[in-house]
Amino acid sequence: DSGVTQTPKHLITATGQRVTLRCSPRSGDLSVYWYQQSLDQGLQFLIHYYNGEERAKGNILERFSAQQFPDLHSELNLSSLELGDSALYFCASSVGLYNEQFFGPGTRLTVL
Amino acid sequence: AQTVTQSQPEMSVQEAETVTLSCTYDTSESDYYLFWYKQPPSRQMILVIRQEAYKQQNATENRFSVNFQKAAKSFSLKISDSQLGDAAMYFCAYRRAQGGSEKLVFGKGMKLTVNP
């Protein structure tokens, strides 16, 4: 157990819908990273927050957004869902900016 | 942009034998970190081993060791005395050491099968 929690574990929804994925980092960790794992794209970095501020963006679609709250948990919002958004979404956390990243168990999103 | 390449999509090894997983990367940075992550069927991403580019000594963690060739931009993982629990997807990953984004850049992964 890495200490990073993600909810829900599984999510099944329909095209056009909106969902929110939640991540609680390890106690004391200020950085939260979101990654997407899909069959065709592999593991890709989406976005990084550090102590509430957006630090870096990767190949994140405009339909996706994220935020990190004062208690340091983070949410990834996916809207106008398409079939191709079906993937495993990982959250990872680290103490600072250049420390080891610990991964959560992931949220499996299925868009039907 | 940094890229990580794992050219072998699948490998198999007999239990108790040794297997080497290959990885190459491309970067213009001189200081960075390299990682091997394991993803078993549970889908959890587990850090196996890490290597700092400034260190010449190859990292070792119990049965896992790396062969880091900085000039060749090669980073292979050797698993000794393979066990059934080693069966998983293995991902090679790169991260800058400082400045810019601290994101991990992953290879496509390699599926390792361990035969009893």
Side-chain angles (χ1 to χ4, degrees):
Chain A
D1 185 359
S2 66
V4 180
T5 60
Q6 289 187 249
T7 57
K9 287 187 177 180
H10 303 278
L11 199 49
I12 301 174
T13 189
T15 54
Q17 294 298 304
R18 173 189 170 93
V19 297
T20 297
L21 313 184
R22 182 187 170 106
C23 168
S24 293
R26 296 184 318 154
S27 177
D29 283 2
L30 299 179
S31 272
V32 170
Y33 303 80
W34 287 97
Y35 294 88
Q36 178 195 57
Q37 184 178 28
S38 62
L39 282 175
D40 52 347
Q41 297 293 327
L43 265 161
Q44 285 203 311
F45 166 73
L46 293 178
I47 198 164
H48 170 205
Y49 277 85
Y50 175 75
N51 202 22
E53 299 290 326
E54 183 184 300
R55 174 82 177 171
K57 265 186 176 179
N59 296 324
I60 188 167
L61 299 171
E62 285 191 11
R63 301 183 286 109
F64 295 3
S65 64
Q67 55 183 323
Q68 186 179 27
F69 294 86
D71 67 353
L72 301 176
H73 89 272
S74 178
E75 293 181 356
L76 179 67
N77 300 296
L78 317 176
S79 61
S80 301
L81 286 167
E82 302 175 359
L83 295 178
D85 298 327
S86 295
L88 187 57
Y89 291 85
F90 284 107
C91 162
S93 76
S94 66
V95 170
L97 293 174
Y98 299 105
N99 307 96
E100 180 183 337
Q101 295 179 27
F102 294 85
F103 281 77
T107 292
R108 165 75 67 187
L109 173 66
T110 302
V111 183
L112 300 175
Chain B
Q2 295 84 14
T3 59
V4 177
T5 302
Q6 293 179 252
S7 56
Q8 301 157 300
E10 289 192 49
M11 292 186 75
S12 63
V13 63
Q14 291 297 125
E15 196 175 4
E17 296 294 307
T18 295
V19 64
T20 299
L21 287 58
S22 62
C23 171
T24 58
Y25 59 95
D26 187 27
T27 182
S28 58
E29 302 287 328
S30 60
D31 198 12
Y32 48 86
Y33 293 93
L34 295 166
F35 306 85
W36 279 99
Y37 280 87
K38 169 185 177 181
Q39 187 179 39
S42 67
R43 298 294 187 179
Q44 177 74 50
M45 293 293 288
I46 302 166
L47 179 63
V48 175
I49 199 165
R50 62 180 270 172
Q51 174 78 44
E52 291 89 342
Y54 66 88
K55 289 187 178 179
Q56 292 186 334
Q57 187 173 9
N58 289 322
T60 299
E61 288 286 343
N62 301 312
R63 299 183 296 106
F64 300 88
S65 61
V66 299
N67 183 5
F68 173 49
Q69 301 290 328
K70 192 172 183 179
K73 294 180 182 175
S74 169
F75 182 60
S76 61
L77 174 70
K78 185 172 82 171
I79 306 175
S80 304
D81 186 26
S82 296
Q83 301 175 359
L84 295 177
D86 295 332
M89 286 290 295
Y90 285 82
F91 293 90
C92 180
Y94 166 101
R95 197 194 78 203
R96 297 177 69 163
Q98 58 187 355
S101 174
E102 299 81 28
K103 68 180 181 182
L104 288 165
V105 178
F106 289 92
K108 292 289 189 184
M110 192 225 66
K111 181 179 180 181
L112 178 66
T113 301
V114 181
N115 300 309

